[in-house]
């Protein structure tokens, strides 16, 4: 008995590739072109005297600068003294003039953070709080370092903070547990696992960075 199957037209458009995978030939098979590299800003989140952050940042920068899909700028909290009062004055505006344009121009961010008392360094939180639109609808990768916890409690707090700012944190992170013992003379003793984790994280950042950049270009974010 013949029936009127509303799926017939869709079935007829299906093609079977030589590898045996069924696809709909009305859809593009190829991924979109990679295009120009994404602008990523690395935020170094500690401003304490004797901080360990620059050691981790140097390692991280080798991966960022070596990634073919990224160009890198650096914002260092230690070099951007912003008052906790959020008070606008000539000195503050001069500081913001050096940092805000770079954040605004970024397609994506990598935030490097230690963990202070189970949470985020005050200087990093202050830099984040001084800005709003610069973070919106952009991806953020998180790298942490610390003692036994490896800074992961600060990472979880940053996920909440950036969600409030309409940013998207990528799933995978890089964390250094007992960071001081992981490096010698500024170099990782065993880079195998951190290098692999960095590649995974940055590949995710590129995917989100391209997807969100395309979305912002097509339709300005109005959240």
């Amino acid at each position: 008995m013949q029936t009127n199957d509303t799926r017939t037209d869709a079935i007829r458009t299906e093609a079977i590739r030589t590898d045996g995978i069924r696809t709909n030939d009305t859809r593009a098979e190829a991924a979109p072109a990679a295009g120009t590299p994404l602008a990523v800003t690395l935020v170094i989140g500690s401003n304490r005297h004797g901080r360990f952050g620059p050691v981790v940042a140097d390692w991280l920068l080798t991966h960022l600068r070596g990634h073919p899909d990224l160009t890198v700028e650096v914002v260092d909290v230690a070099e951007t003294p912003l008052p906790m009062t959020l008070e606008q004055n000539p000195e503050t505006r001069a500081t913001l003039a050096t940092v805000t344009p770079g954040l605004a121009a970024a397609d994506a961010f990598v935030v490097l953070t230690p963990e202070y008392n189970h949470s985020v360094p005050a200087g990093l939180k202050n830099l984040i709080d001084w800005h709003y639109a610069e973070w919106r609808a952009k991806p953020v990768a998180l790298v942490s370092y610390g003692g036994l916890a490896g800074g992961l409690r600060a990472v979880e707090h940053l996920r909440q903070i950036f969600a409030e700012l309409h940013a998207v944190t990528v799933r995978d992170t890089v964390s250094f547990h007992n960071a001081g013992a992981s490096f010698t003379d500024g170099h990782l003793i065993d880079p195998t696992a951190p290098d692999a984790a960095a590649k995974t994280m940055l590949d995710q950042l590129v995917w989100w960075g391209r997807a969100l950049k395309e979305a912002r270009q097509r339709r300005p974010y109005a959240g």
Side-chain angles (χ1 to χ4, degrees), residues 18-41:
T18 55
D19 60 6
I21 300 174
R22 296 175 68 86
T23 64
N24 188 324
D25 64 7
T26 63
R27 297 180 180 178
E29 292 292 329
T36 58
L38 294 169
V40 61
T41 293

Side-chain angles (χ1 to χ4, degrees), residues 79-93:
E79 297 175 0
T80 54
L82 292 167
M84 295 287 185
T85 60
L86 300 183
E87 176 190 3
Q88 288 280 357
N89 56 49
E91 184 178 68
T92 299
R93 284 191 285 272

Side-chain angles (χ1 to χ4, degrees), residues 62-142:
T62 63
H63 289 274
L64 288 166
R65 290 170 176 158
H67 200 292
D69 294 316
L70 299 173
T71 60
V72 188
E73 297 291 338
V74 177
V75 170
D76 191 338
V77 169
E79 297 175 0
T80 54
L82 292 167
M84 295 287 185
T85 60
L86 300 183
E87 176 190 3
Q88 288 280 357
N89 56 49
E91 184 178 68
T92 299
R93 284 191 285 272
T95 300
L96 290 171
T98 67
V99 63
T100 302
L103 298 180
D107 299 312
F109 302 95
V110 177
V111 175
L112 172 62
T113 184
E115 179 181 314
Y116 294 169
N117 299 319
H118 281 225
S119 192
V120 181
L124 173 57
K125 181 61 163 61
N126 193 44
L127 173 71
I128 294 170
D129 289 344
W130 267 99
H131 298 88
Y132 180 68
E134 291 78 11
W135 312 111
R136 298 203 319 163
K138 297 178 183 180
V140 182
L142 300 168

